[in-house]
Each structure stands twice: as structure tokens, then as C-alpha cells.
Amino acid sequence: MVHNIFKGLGIALITPFNEDGSVDYASLSRLIDYQLRNGADFFCILATTGETPCLTSDEKSRIKDLVVEKVGGRVPILMGFGGNNTMAVVEELKSADLNGISGILSVCPYYNKPSQEGLYLHFKAIAGATKLPVVLYNVPGRTGVNMTAATTVRLARDCKNIVAIKEASGNLEQVDEIIKNKPADFDVISGDDALTFPMISCGAVGVISVIGNALPKEFSRMIRLEFKGEYAAAREIHHRFTDLFGLLFVDGNPAGVKAMLHEMGMIKNVLRLPLVPTRISTLQKLSEIMKELKI
């Protein structure tokens, strides 16, 4: 039986860049150390927040190797494998170097907007192409298609190595339906920082977090308090960051968290086109809130 080991605070790891646009591996290494010291329970690499569509194959390979070496087996690593061509994803999985990787994250196919049956067969094929645990990723705001609770539960029941879903639909009713009807050995993980508090209170087991890149200590404390049933203290932390949650995504992800990390002196504020740095007005608001929070 395959079990979900991706619980608590997962970091949706960014990719830092130098001023010339090359990958800043030194800053990435320091960032991983910082997150491990401050409560990261697992890493999610080479996914949306890492600007993966804009990385070369060589860069992705080097980033994967660096993360595996730095983590050194201390926490699990979830690696992104997704696309809207099922056969291509399956072939990529079969040929990939997955040494040091604990599981794969696979996003709903984007652009071609498959039916629920198409989504089911897509993920069933991916699950059959690997022995590693598979975490589904539902983010209709990016893909143009929502995977329903019924399809998620069907996959959880039919594919034993599909162990969890990163739910970023923003629909708490859908999340609750999954948690109510899922098999006991299948988990829901929040894919939305702003909804992590209510999702965990409903039964989610953690988050794959954007803000955790910059504030792992604070965000992991909120999660741990909730796990212990100390909801009032956890809610206080949640409310401290309410304004930050909105600002992080107003100019697109990961522009907001990269601006935060730049303000903290940890990376250069550089993204790859078509993404651009957050607007000056947003940056000023972020800076003001961070000063208020003494970050």
C-alpha cells in the first residue's frame, strides 16, 4: 500500500534568477537551507511557482540535482510532471531520473479542456507509468478545467498510488465533498495559502505553499497549531497574513513572493518572460505590511 507522506508545510519552491536571466543556483541553495531551518516539511519542485515552463531541460535537471543534494533525505521531495499531452507525460515519466524524488505532482491538462472522463483516463495513465506516489493538482484558474470531487474520489479509489490532491479550486464546498467521500488512505493538501486555515480545519493535511518560500517559520507554526487543535492561536496567525495573501498574487505568481524575498535580501527580483516583476505600487504595499509585521 502506498501512503501519502506529503503533510504539513510544503514549499512550492521558486527559481531565483541572476540579473542576466540565468538561474541563480547559489541563492537557491541558501533558500533551501533557510526553509529547512524554519519548518519546511517537504519541497515541491519544478512546478508552477518555479516558473518551470520557462526553464530548459538542462536547468530543470540541475535544479532537481541541487535540491536532492541539499535536502539529503531530510524531508520528502515532490516533483512536477504535467502537461496536456498524456502520452508525452507518460514517456517523460518513464525516462526521467527520479533518484531522490519521493513522489510526483501532476496538474490537470491545460488548454484543451478535457471532460471528466478524459481527466480520469489521463491521470490513470500517469499513475500506471510510475511506482512513485502521485499527487493530483487541481487549479482551474490556470488550466481552464475543474476536476470535480467525484472524479478525484474515483481516481483515489481506482489508483492505489494516487495518494493525495493539491486542491486549488478555491471551492471549499468541493474540498469538503472530497474529504467526506475519499478513501481513508487518500489526503487533501491545500493549494491556496489564503484558504489553508479553513481547509485544515475541514480535514486537509497540509499545504503546498507560496508564502512559505519567504515565511516558513510563521506559516508552519500556524499549521502545527491547527494540528494540535489550537485553532484560536492558529487563526490569529492566519489573520496576520490576510493582506499579504492578496498582494502575493495580484500581479501573478511568483512575482509577489519574489518581491518579498528580494525585500528580505535573499534573491534578486528577476522573473522570466512572459512573467515580470510586481508593480511598484504593489511592492510598496508589500514592504509596508512586512514592516508592520516586523519581517
Side-chain angles (χ1 to χ4, degrees):
M1 185 68 68
V2 183
H3 296 285
N4 175 45
I5 58 174
F6 304 102
K7 300 182 180 184
L9 175 64
I11 306 296
L13 193 62
I14 66 149
T15 302
F17 297 115
N18 293 303
E19 295 291 355
D20 64 1
S22 61
V23 176
D24 184 353
Y25 296 102
S27 291
L28 179 59
S29 181
R30 289 192 295 269
L31 196 59
I32 293 166
D33 282 336
Y34 165 72
Q35 290 157 355
L36 284 170
R37 288 196 308 270
N38 287 282
D41 294 303
F42 66 95
F43 285 93
C44 180
I45 67 170
L46 298 174
T48 309
T49 305
E51 298 176 68
T52 307
C54 299
L55 298 173
T56 68
S57 296
D58 287 345
E59 288 170 335
K60 287 187 279 189
S61 179
R62 187 172 172 187
I63 288 168
K64 176 259 181 187
D65 290 343
L66 184 152
V67 177
V68 168
E69 181 179 353
K70 290 295 295 185
V71 169
R74 286 175 285 177
V75 298
I77 300 171
L78 189 63
M79 184 170 168
F81 279 92
N84 58 353
N85 180 338
T86 307
M87 291 177 63
V89 178
V90 166
E91 290 305 312
E92 184 182 10
L93 262 177
K94 289 179 177 178
S95 62
D97 174 12
L98 295 173
N99 287 324
I101 300 302
S102 310
I104 70 163
L105 176 77
S106 196
V107 70
C108 288
Y110 39 82
Y111 185 72
N112 40 18
K113 299 181 74 170
S115 66
Q116 294 302 307
E117 184 65 16
L119 289 170
Y120 172 81
L121 292 172
H122 171 82
F123 285 120
K124 187 176 182 181
I126 288 172
T130 180
K131 293 181 180 179
L132 287 175
V134 176
V135 177
L136 310 173
Y137 181 17
N138 185 40
V139 57
R142 286 185 176 271
T143 63
V145 62
N146 176 58
M147 185 159 64
T148 65
T151 301
T152 298
V153 171
R154 183 185 175 196
L155 284 163
R157 288 176 175 161
D158 292 353
C159 305
K160 294 306 179 185
N161 63 328
I162 294 182
V163 298
I165 183 168
K166 176 185 177 183
E167 247 294 340
S169 65
N171 184 340
L172 288 176
E173 184 177 353
Q174 177 166 292
V175 169
D176 198 45
E177 188 177 347
I178 296 169
I179 292 171
K180 176 184 175 182
N181 296 313
K182 70 179 182 64
D185 55 356
F186 180 85
D187 289 324
V188 173
I189 303 167
S190 171
D192 186 334
D193 285 333
L195 294 181
T196 297
F197 176 82
M199 284 182 67
I200 290 178
S201 71
C202 288
V205 300
V207 61
I208 296 175
S209 173
V210 175
I211 201 171
N213 279 278
L215 305 176
K217 185 176 183 179
E218 294 83 353
F219 213 51
S220 66
R221 182 167 182 267
M222 182 194 80
I223 293 166
R224 284 163 171 72
L225 286 168
E226 274 200 276
F227 286 164
K228 293 190 292 184
E230 298 180 27
Y231 292 104
R235 188 182 303 111
E236 184 177 338
I237 297 173
H238 167 71
H239 284 152
R240 285 184 69 209
F241 296 125
T242 302
D243 292 336
L244 271 180
F245 292 146
L247 287 172
L248 281 182
F249 298 97
V250 70
D251 293 325
N253 181 46
V257 74
K258 279 196 162 184
M260 281 187 70
L261 288 164
H262 176 69
E263 287 290 294
M264 295 166 69
M266 300 187 73
I267 66 167
K268 301 172 183 68
N269 194 15
V270 179
L271 292 89
R272 280 189 178 169
L273 289 171
L275 300 181
V276 295
T278 190
R279 291 170 291 176
I280 295 297
S281 58
T282 306
L283 184 59
Q284 289 172 339
K285 292 175 184 176
L286 276 170
S287 183
E288 290 169 5
I289 294 173
M290 289 169 69
K291 288 176 182 176
E292 290 174 10
L293 297 175
K294 297 180 181 178
I295 297 169

